[in-house]
Amino acid sequence: MSENTHTRRRPAGRDRRTAHEHEHESEQEEQSGDELACPECSGNVITDEEHGETVCEECGLVIEEDSVDRGPEWRAFDAAEKDQKSRVGAPTTNTMHDKGLSTNIDWRDQDAYGRSLGARQRQKMRRLRKWNERFRTRDSKERNLKQALGEIDRMASALGLPDNVRETASVIYRRALDEDLLPGRSIEGVSTSCVYAAARMAGVPRSLDEIADVSRVGKDEVARTYRYVVRELKLEVKPADPEQYVPRFASSLELSDESEMRAKQLLRNAKEKGVHSGKSPVGLAAAAVYAAALLTNEKTTQAAVSEVADISEVTIRNRYHELLEAEDGLVA
C-alpha cells in the first residue's frame, strides 16, 4: 500500500482504512457465494448499520461510508403496528375499479414544470392515454365496474357524502357484481341503491327523493333495486332514524345548537308515544326542526324547511301537530 493512503480507526477496534485510494481496485471485487469480497484482502464484507458503513471483516477496510438509511423513521412493536405504519405509496381504494394500482396519466398537456407540450408531444400523450385506458379495462366486467364506481363517486359528491360512504358503496357494488345480481338491471340503478344503502349504514342517510334527484334513474327503480340488493346480499341496514336527519337540516337552516337539541328531544318524545310508527323519518325530522325553531324563538318558515328537507309543507304541518300533541301528552 502506498504512503499516501489514509487510514481511519475506531477508538477501541481493529485498524480500518478508507477505500478512497482503492477505487481502481474496487472494480475487481469478487463475489463469494452471496457475500461481497474485500477488494484488498478478499475477506468477507459486512454492513455496520449503526455507523452507516460497509467494512471488511478481516482487515477492517472501510469500503463505503455515510450510507443512506432508507428504512422507516418510525418504530413498530408488533406486526399489526408495522402494517399500519408502513408507507409504500398511495393506499389501495375500492372506489377505483383497479383499486388505484394502475398508472394515471394527467389530462393536461403540460410537463413537470407546468410548461405546455409541443405538438408532437401532445399527440404522443393522447396516444398514451388512449392505450392506458384500454389496458386498464381488460374485459366487460372491469368496464362495468369502472362505469359504476364513477357513478357512485359522482352521486356521493353531489350529496356531500364522506369518503367512508363511497368506500362502503363500492364494496357493496363489487359484491353484487361478484354474485351476479346485475343481469336484468341497469348499472345506474344498482349503483344508486348501493349509495342509498351505504349512507344509511354509515348513519348519514339521504331520502329517496334526494337520491333520485342526483341519479340517472327514477325513484321507483331505485327503491325496487335497493330492496333486491339488500335481500340478496343480506345487508344489515337498520331503519332510518329521524334524529339522524336533524343535524343536517339544522345546519342548512343555520339554527343554533339549542334548536337542534330541542328537535331531537321532540323526536324522542314522539318515539315514546309511538307517533313515529309508519311515518316518513324525513317528514318527522323536518317537522321537529320547524317546531324546535319556533319553541326557541328562532326565525324560520315552513317553506325554508320544506326546501331543505325536500318534502311538502303539508307533510310538515301534519307532523308538526302530531309532535306537539305527543309533547303535551307526556307533560300531562
Side-chain angles (χ1 to χ4, degrees), residues 241-243 245-246 249 263 267 280-290 305 323:
D241 188 343
E243 288 188 41
Y245 293 91
V246 170
F249 293 167
L267 290 172
S280 166
V282 180
L284 281 171
V289 168
Y290 175 66
V305 177
L323 289 174

Side-chain angles (χ1 to χ4, degrees), residues 164-211:
N164 66 312
V165 175
R166 305 181 193 200
E167 286 281 345
T168 304
S170 302
V171 171
I172 294 173
Y173 189 90
R174 287 174 184 273
R175 286 186 58 193
L177 187 62
D178 291 339
E179 298 192 21
D180 205 24
L181 302 184
L182 267 71
R185 291 167 182 80
S186 67
I187 295 175
E188 291 82 1
V190 177
S191 58
T192 304
S193 65
C194 291
V195 172
Y196 182 54
R200 290 182 60 172
M201 293 169 70
V204 286
R206 297 294 186 268
S207 67
L208 265 177
D209 291 322
E210 290 177 292
I211 292 287

Side-chain angles (χ1 to χ4, degrees), residues 49 66-74 87-88:
E49 295 181 356
D66 298 329
S67 60
V68 178
D69 183 5
R70 302 187 184 277
E73 76 282 3
W74 41 261
R87 292 193 294 273
V88 287

